[in-house]
Amino acid sequence: MIRFLPLMAMILCYSSVSAFSQGFYHHSSTHYHEPNSEPREHALDIRKMSLDVRFKPEEGKVIGKVTHHFIPLRKGIDSVVFDAMKITVKSVALGNNPIRFVSSDSTLTVFPQSSLPIEKTDSITIVYEATPRKGIYFIGWNSSGKPKTDGIFTIRKQIWTQGQEADHRYWIPMYDATNDKYITETIITFDKEYSVLSNGTLFSERDNKDGTKTWHYSMTKPHAGYLLTIGIGKYDIHKRKSKSGIPLELWYYPEYKNDIPYMYKYSTEAMDFLENETGIPYPWEKYSQIPVQDFIFGAMENTTATTFGDFFHTDKRAFIDRNYIGVNVHELTHQWFGDLITQRNPKNIWLHESFATFYPKLFDRKHEGEDQYQWNRRGEHNSALTASEKDRLPIVHTKSGTARVYPKGSAVLDMLMHTVGEEHFRKVIKHYLNRHKFGNVVTSDFYHAFQDTLGLTLDRFFDQWLYRGGEPHYEISRRTLNNETHITVQQIHTIDELTQLFSMPITVEVWYDNGKFDSRKVLIDKQQQTIIIPHKSGNNVSFVLFDPGSIILKKTTFKKQFDELKAQAQYAPNMIDRFDAIVAMEKDSTDRTKKYELYHELFSKERFFAIRAEIVRQCAETKNRTDMVRSIIRKALQDPNVHVRKAVLTNIRQPITEFKNDIEKLLTDSSYSIIAITLDKLCSVFPESTSSYLKKADNTPGMFAEIAIKRYEIEARSGDKSALEFLRDFANDSYEFRTRQFAFNALKRLNHCNENVVDALFDAMLNPNTRLASAAQNVLEYFYQQTSYHDLILRVYDKGTWTNIQRDELKKVVKR
């Protein structure tokens, strides 16, 4: 058994060589076998890539010339291979001299007349054309319909690129891997009525006689090729400066100038925060952000110029439902973690994404407080634990998955910071970034930064959390004996080669009915151990906390009586510990009256929305409502936080007649989402009042036509055929993808399909935006399974002219 350890002894114990390493532990390898995961070999050190391009957007065509300035890395190089996916190469020159080349569907191989001299600077220029299906996207140029409703959700004509992981090879012959970094230069010629953004500094703009303009951008520092970007559309630019003088250029659609304060809230504050938190000044010349339509991801951290989906566009009202702040800080963080330092190979992607998830969490703590910080951390823990129900892959692995690369890695950084202290952690980060700036990194580089700056050898921490998989499951019990609390901790998770016993410093607190507590931090590293805490501050134990604040990523089984949970819910200092007590009380069979009396007290007292929302969820789902429960629900329907109001609407069971008047007030709510949900619920439960509700509801279309589409769905359900026509219109390619998603789902619920709907679904299934494509596929499958629509879908399919790629995609649903 363990009583407790002095802090220095605990650090020394924690930092010792892992008992599991057995002499074969390597800081660049995972314990899960993964062949072919090392960095790509390459013959040239590319120093600069100059790209000169123009486009035929209606044809989806790129007409380009790219020059790679390089130094050979070794002797005897008589051929060079570039990535080039189905690119038509017209000519290749070494310096000014044409050379032989061979193209395949995936590569371009060039053959100098003699071996390239080692360490001599030279260049290879490639003239080419491409009609790519990845890497660059031509949005809106062939839209078939004209929108009946104007707004942010109508389609725009744009061109934008997306290079990660390795998609620029579809439109540029290049070395498309992360382990070579170089300066990029982009020269873009396009219609002068448009605006063009690319990486680095805009050196010149030149008007041409044919109505086009040529924009010349260039970086001054090297970065990875996948971070090259081009964005073309019709924009204005809002300019700001950070405290350190960094220019920020925030691009926006001209008709939405009034939305800038909401869409780009905290943009300069985020720059100031990250410079201070990392200790490293922003490493590039300037920083731009540009919204684009139908973006295939959420956003992308292209060096100096983040691209993000305009589905993050928000106005004053939409801001309370969803905003861009978290993603904004995430992508800005990448300018340090991902752009300044870049993974050497794909299995180290966590060095980008985990850090870019971690720092927005710290930013939230600064601006929203400790409660929000704990809530964000809990979400990360839940995501990681859910992923482990499927498999236990390590974080350092190419197939680790989003839940580990983003939230679990962020949680691991949290634990690291907690273990070594925030001041020490910042010192490590500053050293790590400085040492590897403009270079490539692997996990061992981060590991060595702790040794270099703090003298700590954290091999066991890195081994258990990064190179192995799984998370600890602690089973905890406690008893009082001789004026001491004995807390027994067992690690009951599966123990094998991939997941072993965890070694973590964990705080344990014993709270007394006088409001005081005793606390100890103990190294938990054995399968079973007992912690003994003498009662110095009180006698009657009120409740015990294992890892207060829930810092450690873990599962916990700790059975507590109702009175313990009640005291924890009332008096635990950390929001997340109070929240956990309320969740645990849901299954408690103690007198329901006592429980709801407590909930009524806590609902009025608790400031953080998640606790009020959890109380409301439990109350709304209960079948037998007491006066206390009714009071909580009515208060919740007027709660200032949108998530609490939404918790009532989405969880309340029938009957809701007694809350009818309260719910009707939400028809003019400040939240677009609340209005749409309220309309749907009221019209479903009280169909005889549908007309009245439609008149009472706020007549705004909502962001991305969410409310308008809900209104048309309700009207169509009542037999209005013109409403169906509007829904079909919203489904076509004249609209942004979230609008189309709303329309598809409404048509599915109405079970309405015709040729226009099938055309729209086919078009959406072929869209590069996978969220739109998957939504369309789901709805199309629903209709295809019905006899009445099956033949219709086949007829529309047979009339179409499809490429082989399109045919393969549509065959996911249509069987011919």
Side-chain angles (χ1 to χ4, degrees):
M1 74 176 55
I2 298 175
R3 289 182 180 269
F4 50 87
L5 294 171
L7 179 60
M8 183 54 67
M10 184 172 66
I11 290 176
L12 291 173
C13 178
Y14 185 77
S15 303
S16 63
V17 175
S18 169
F20 309 131
S21 60
Q22 300 177 351
F24 58 78
Y25 178 60
H26 302 289
H27 290 295
S28 62
S29 300
T30 177
H31 288 273
Y32 193 97
H33 180 59
E34 187 183 12
N36 304 318
S37 63
E38 289 305 303
R40 251 175 91 179
E41 293 184 354
H42 53 111
L44 306 180
D45 176 13
I46 306 291
R47 296 299 181 90
K48 182 178 181 180
M49 182 175 78
S50 298
L51 178 67
D52 189 338
V53 287
R54 60 181 64 228
F55 308 106
K56 292 183 177 179
E58 293 84 359
E59 301 175 29
K61 179 175 278 191
V62 178
I63 302 168
K65 179 175 74 172
V66 61
T67 300
H68 298 284
H69 303 268
F70 64 87
I71 295 177
L73 290 171
R74 52 186 182 269
K75 294 180 180 180
I77 297 172
D78 56 8
S79 64
V80 179
V81 178
F82 293 100
D83 300 299
M85 299 294 292
K86 296 186 177 179
I87 292 176
T88 302
V89 176
K90 303 291 188 179
S91 66
V92 179
L94 177 64
N96 295 319
N97 302 314
I99 57 173
R100 187 168 67 90
F101 63 90
V102 174
S103 290
S104 72
D105 279 351
S106 60
T107 61
L108 166 67
T109 306
V110 303
F111 300 93
Q113 292 181 350
S114 58
S115 297
L116 296 172
I118 189 170
E119 297 182 355
K120 180 183 177 183
T121 302
D122 212 330
S123 65
I124 294 174
T125 299
I126 305 160
V127 177
Y128 67 96
E129 290 184 359
T131 308
R133 59 185 184 90
K134 288 185 178 182
I136 188 167
Y137 300 88
F138 300 89
I139 305 299
W141 297 93
N142 297 303
S143 178
S144 59
K146 292 184 179 180
K148 289 184 172 65
T149 307
D150 291 331
I152 181 69
F153 39 83
T154 53
I155 201 69
R156 298 168 184 273
K157 292 182 177 181
Q158 296 177 347
I159 302 172
W160 46 262
T161 63
Q162 171 55 35
Q164 194 176 41
E165 176 69 31
D167 284 356
H168 281 332
R169 64 186 64 189
Y170 285 84
W171 68 285
I172 310 171
M174 62 183 293
Y175 178 72
D176 197 9
T178 60
N179 62 334
D180 193 12
K181 302 180 79 169
Y182 39 84
I183 289 171
T184 60
E185 175 185 46
T186 45
I187 301 166
I188 306 113
T189 299
F190 198 69
D191 185 338
K192 68 179 182 181
E193 298 302 316
Y194 287 75
S195 300
V196 173
L197 175 65
S198 190
N199 311 85
T201 301
L202 177 60
F203 282 105
S204 67
E205 296 178 69
R206 184 185 73 245
D207 286 332
N208 304 312
K209 293 180 180 179
D210 61 356
T212 65
K213 181 186 284 189
T214 298
W215 292 261
H216 180 187
Y217 282 88
S218 184
M219 295 287 293
T220 58
K221 300 287 177 61
H223 65 150
Y226 77 91
L227 295 166
L228 179 141
T229 187
I230 295 175
I232 301 175
K234 294 188 176 181
Y235 298 93
D236 281 344
I237 302 173
H238 174 73
K239 296 185 178 182
R240 297 178 184 172
K241 274 193 176 182
S242 68
K243 285 183 179 178
S244 61
I246 299 298
L248 277 74
E249 295 187 352
L250 309 176
W251 292 47
Y252 66 94
Y253 300 141
E255 64 269 39
Y256 294 100
K257 184 175 183 178
N258 292 338
D259 295 340
I260 292 172
Y262 309 104
M263 187 163 74
Y264 286 119
K265 187 174 183 179
Y266 292 144
S267 288
T268 50
E269 290 87 345
M271 179 73 77
D272 301 335
F273 171 82
L274 287 165
E275 288 191 320
N276 180 68
E277 196 69 25
T278 63
I280 303 294
Y282 178 73
W284 316 101
E285 309 93 307
K286 67 178 180 65
Y287 184 58
S288 301
Q289 296 193 71
I290 183 171
V292 300
Q293 207 144 67
D294 281 358
F295 195 53
I296 60 176
F297 299 122
M300 181 63 203
E301 66 275 11
N302 310 300
T303 315
T304 76
T306 285
T307 302
F308 67 96
D310 65 7
F311 41 83
F312 282 115
H313 184 108
T314 185
D315 61 20
K316 185 176 181 179
R317 290 180 68 179
F319 184 86
I320 64 175
D321 288 319
R322 185 187 193 193
N323 61 64
Y324 178 54
I325 294 171
V327 175
N328 190 346
V329 183
H330 178 101
E331 302 307 330
L332 180 56
T333 303
H334 274 309
Q335 299 295 319
W336 284 263
F337 299 92
D339 297 5
L340 177 62
I341 59 170
T342 307
Q343 61 170 10
R344 192 173 291 275
N345 56 19
K347 68 182 177 183
N348 287 285
I349 187 64
W350 85 280
L351 294 171
H352 298 195
E353 301 301 347
S354 299
F355 284 81
T357 307
F358 172 71
Y359 280 102
K361 189 172 55 179
L362 296 187
F363 185 81
D364 241 12
R365 180 176 65 176
K366 177 179 175 66
H367 287 273
E368 302 297 330
E370 177 66 22
D371 289 352
Q372 184 64 50
Y373 178 62
Q374 292 178 12
W375 186 243
N376 291 344
R377 183 164 58 199
R378 171 54 57 82
E380 293 176 347
H381 290 187
N382 289 342
S383 295
L385 293 170
T386 299
S388 287
E389 294 173 3
K390 180 182 177 182
D391 60 59
R392 289 180 287 127
L393 287 172
I395 289 176
V396 184
H397 192 279
T398 57
K399 300 290 195 303
S400 57
T402 299
R404 296 188 180 96
V405 167
Y406 290 75
K408 181 175 180 178
S410 173
V412 168
L413 292 173
D414 232 346
M415 292 187 290
L416 252 179
M417 183 175 70
H418 172 69
T419 300
V420 304
E422 291 197 31
E423 184 179 351
H424 286 156
F425 187 79
R426 290 190 195 97
K427 183 179 178 182
V428 171
I429 293 298
K430 183 176 181 179
H431 169 83
Y432 169 62
L433 290 170
N434 256 330
R435 179 161 186 164
H436 302 285
K437 59 185 177 183
F438 306 114
N440 290 112
V441 289
V442 292
T443 301
S444 60
D445 294 315
F446 185 49
Y447 166 82
H448 287 126
F450 287 88
Q451 180 65 248
D452 293 344
T453 57
L454 304 179
L456 290 177
T457 304
L458 299 179
D459 54 341
R460 193 163 189 179
F461 186 100
F462 275 65
D463 184 51
Q464 65 192 4
W465 290 112
L466 294 166
Y467 297 118
R468 295 185 190 271
E471 297 80 30
H473 184 172
Y474 300 110
E475 185 175 68
I476 302 149
S477 60
R478 66 102 169 173
R479 64 191 179 112
T480 300
L481 185 65
N482 299 326
N483 210 32
E484 297 175 329
T485 294
H486 292 231
I487 301 161
T488 299
V489 182
Q490 296 185 71
Q491 297 196 43
I492 63 172
H493 54 270
T494 300
I495 297 175
D496 53 21
E497 176 60 23
L498 188 57
T499 309
Q500 301 204 345
L501 291 175
F502 283 78
S503 173
M504 288 300 294
I506 299 179
T507 298
V508 180
E509 291 179 351
V510 177
W511 285 79
Y512 307 101
D513 58 7
N514 63 3
K516 297 181 179 180
F517 70 99
D518 290 314
S519 175
R520 296 291 181 269
K521 183 178 280 190
V522 182
L523 186 71
I524 305 295
D525 63 348
K526 294 181 174 56
Q527 188 139 21
Q528 179 172 318
Q529 58 198 100
T530 299
I531 306 155
I532 299 176
I533 299 182
H535 296 173
K536 296 180 179 180
S537 302
N539 292 318
N540 297 320
V541 176
S542 183
F543 59 94
V544 173
L545 296 175
F546 180 80
D547 183 29
S550 193
I551 296 164
I552 309 303
L553 171 54
K554 64 190 179 302
K555 282 186 178 180
T556 305
T557 300
F558 191 178
K559 295 181 180 178
K560 299 180 182 182
Q561 299 301 312
F562 179 80
D563 286 344
E564 294 178 89
L565 293 172
K566 177 181 177 181
Q568 182 175 325
Q570 289 176 309
Y571 304 118
N574 288 295
M575 178 281 298
I576 202 67
D577 297 322
R578 301 195 301 275
F579 175 85
D580 285 343
I582 292 167
V583 171
M585 277 191 279
E586 181 177 19
K587 297 180 181 179
D588 196 284
S589 57
T590 305
D591 188 337
R592 292 172 65 250
T593 301
K594 289 184 179 179
K595 183 191 298 187
Y596 292 123
E597 284 177 353
L598 174 65
Y599 284 0
H600 190 267
E601 171 199 332
L602 295 175
F603 189 87
S604 300
K605 184 176 74 172
E606 281 291 352
R607 293 185 177 183
F608 192 65
F609 77 88
I611 292 183
R612 299 200 305 278
E614 174 59 24
I615 290 171
V616 169
R617 183 191 66 79
Q618 292 186 32
C619 291
E621 289 181 348
T622 190
K623 295 179 181 178
N624 302 311
R625 297 179 186 130
T626 64
D627 288 342
M628 205 72 74
V629 168
R630 293 187 186 95
S631 175
I632 292 170
I633 291 174
R634 286 198 170 92
K635 286 182 179 180
L637 286 167
Q638 302 174 53
D639 196 276
N641 188 278
V642 65
H643 300 290
V644 179
R645 303 197 299 277
K646 198 173 291 186
V648 182
L649 293 173
T650 55
N651 292 291
I652 194 166
R653 292 191 179 197
Q654 289 279 39
I656 66 169
T657 305
E658 59 189 321
F659 305 110
K660 182 179 177 182
N661 292 338
D662 302 276
I663 295 174
E664 286 176 348
K665 293 176 183 177
L666 298 180
L667 289 170
T668 55
D669 196 82
S670 58
S671 159
Y672 293 138
S673 180
I674 290 285
I675 294 172
I677 296 170
T678 303
L679 262 177
D680 190 50
K681 184 167 287 291
L682 287 173
C683 293
S684 296
V685 177
F686 309 108
E688 69 281 1
S689 300
T690 293
S691 177
S692 171
Y693 290 142
L694 290 171
K695 289 177 182 176
K696 285 182 181 179
D698 192 322
N699 201 36
T700 177
M703 191 59 68
F704 306 110
E706 179 182 12
I707 298 174
I709 288 172
K710 180 56 66 179
R711 295 178 71 96
Y712 289 131
E713 179 185 349
I714 292 167
E715 290 169 354
R717 198 185 298 148
S718 301
D720 187 336
K721 292 184 179 180
S722 64
L724 279 175
E725 183 180 346
F726 274 102
L727 288 175
R728 291 194 296 265
D729 180 59
F730 278 128
N732 73 41
D733 66 358
S734 297
Y735 293 90
E736 187 272 344
F737 90 91
R738 284 190 69 200
T739 304
R740 299 181 73 186
Q741 281 182 319
F742 286 139
F744 289 157
N745 290 326
L747 290 166
K748 178 182 176 182
R749 288 188 291 267
L750 292 166
N751 197 32
H752 173 76
C753 184
N754 67 6
E755 285 196 16
N756 291 337
V757 174
V758 176
D759 281 334
L761 290 169
F762 280 168
D763 171 81
M765 268 193 72
L766 300 175
N767 193 288
N769 185 318
T770 55
R771 285 162 296 184
L772 176 61
S774 61
Q777 181 177 334
N778 175 272
V779 174
L780 192 65
E781 285 173 343
Y782 171 79
F783 289 132
Y784 191 72
Q785 292 166 7
Q786 300 180 53
T787 304
S788 56
Y789 293 132
H790 182 274
D791 292 342
L792 167 67
I793 294 169
L794 289 177
R795 286 198 304 273
V796 176
Y797 176 81
D798 289 341
K799 287 195 299 185
T801 303
W802 313 109
T803 65
N804 290 335
I805 292 174
Q806 290 173 332
R807 199 176 297 277
D808 289 342
E809 197 65 30
L810 296 178
K811 280 181 180 178
K812 291 178 180 178
V813 177
V814 181
K815 311 300 179 187
R816 247 311 182 221

